[in-house]
Amino acid sequence: MDVINIGPLALPIPPLVLLGSGVIGVAVGKWAGRSGQIDIEPLLWKIALASLFSARLAFVLLYIDIYKTNLLSMLDIRDGGFVVPVGLLIAFAVTAWYAWRERGKRKGVLLAVTAGASFWVAATVATAVWYTPPAQMPQVTLTRLDGTPVPLQTLTGKPIVLNLWATWCPPCRREMPVLRDAQVRHPDVNFIFANQGEAAEAVRHYLESERLDLKNVLLDARLQVGQQLGSVAMPTTLFFNAQGRLVDRRLGELSAATLEQRIKLLRNPE
């Protein structure tokens, strides 16, 4: 997931694009209905909610074996788990339905959805063309808790999940058991836990108190990894292929399902 860094604030691009699409769609809908005093905003909300619900439901069903261990986690959309093609398909289907049923609002609905979808497509393409984040594993040397230096480049050769975290960061602490369990399940993937700016003793105390047995816990005392990759917020999880090329990133807390999704994509890139 690409991000925009504004000072210390990191904003993920896809949600911003989605928000912009919604704002433009509503604005165009209001403009289209102004002459006949037709309010189509409630219909636009129904279309948006149907799309989001369907995209979320499709994702949950794909990873139901994970979600069924904690049913309430299905409702926590902060993990970013959505199947976008399903959401788009439902959005267009519901739009067609309302355009057929609500003839007086047909023009406004079609114009609003077309405007919002056009902005989403244009912004997504523009991001892919013009936004080029650093592509390779940073050539930096971190240290293990015992002080042993570890050049990150020496850990390539397998797909890599690189987590930037700190002991004082609540979402980092919440997602750590998820990453620990995934490290056990996926021995063919290198998990690297790059602590940002803390002393070895503080990290060691946290791991012992939480009974976390993790491999590749490294200290990034000068915050080099995040600075080089444009990921200053925490937690951030970066996904590299076996050649050390950055293929995906996740800003914010991971769930077990969203982590499994990204590992699957990491092994089987499109």
Side-chain angles (χ1 to χ4, degrees), residues 38-122:
I38 299 173
D39 184 12
I40 68 166
E41 187 173 351
L43 291 185
L44 297 179
W45 273 109
K46 290 178 182 179
I47 293 169
L49 291 175
S51 175
L52 290 172
F53 176 80
S54 301
R56 178 62 177 181
L57 178 61
F59 184 84
V60 168
L61 292 176
L62 280 174
Y63 296 96
I64 190 63
D65 288 341
I66 295 174
Y67 280 111
K68 68 183 181 182
T69 62
N70 182 3
L71 296 179
L72 288 178
S73 65
M74 297 180 184
L75 304 176
D76 189 359
I77 63 174
R78 293 176 300 175
D79 67 3
F82 295 93
V83 180
V84 174
V86 171
L88 292 175
L89 179 63
I90 295 300
F92 287 122
V94 176
T95 298
W97 168 258
Y98 279 125
W100 177 67
R101 286 286 304 272
E102 304 281 349
R103 296 187 178 183
K105 300 179 180 180
R106 179 181 299 170
K107 178 181 177 181
V109 170
L110 292 177
L111 283 174
V113 173
T114 300
S118 298
F119 176 85
W120 182 81
V121 170

Side-chain angles (χ1 to χ4, degrees), residues 7 47 50 77 87 96 107 131 145 160 175 180 199 202 224 239 249 253:
I47 293 169
I77 63 174
K107 178 181 177 181
Y131 184 81
L145 296 181
I160 290 174
E175 74 176 2
R180 174 201 60 199
Q224 299 176 82
F239 300 84
R249 75 175 76 201
E253 186 176 346

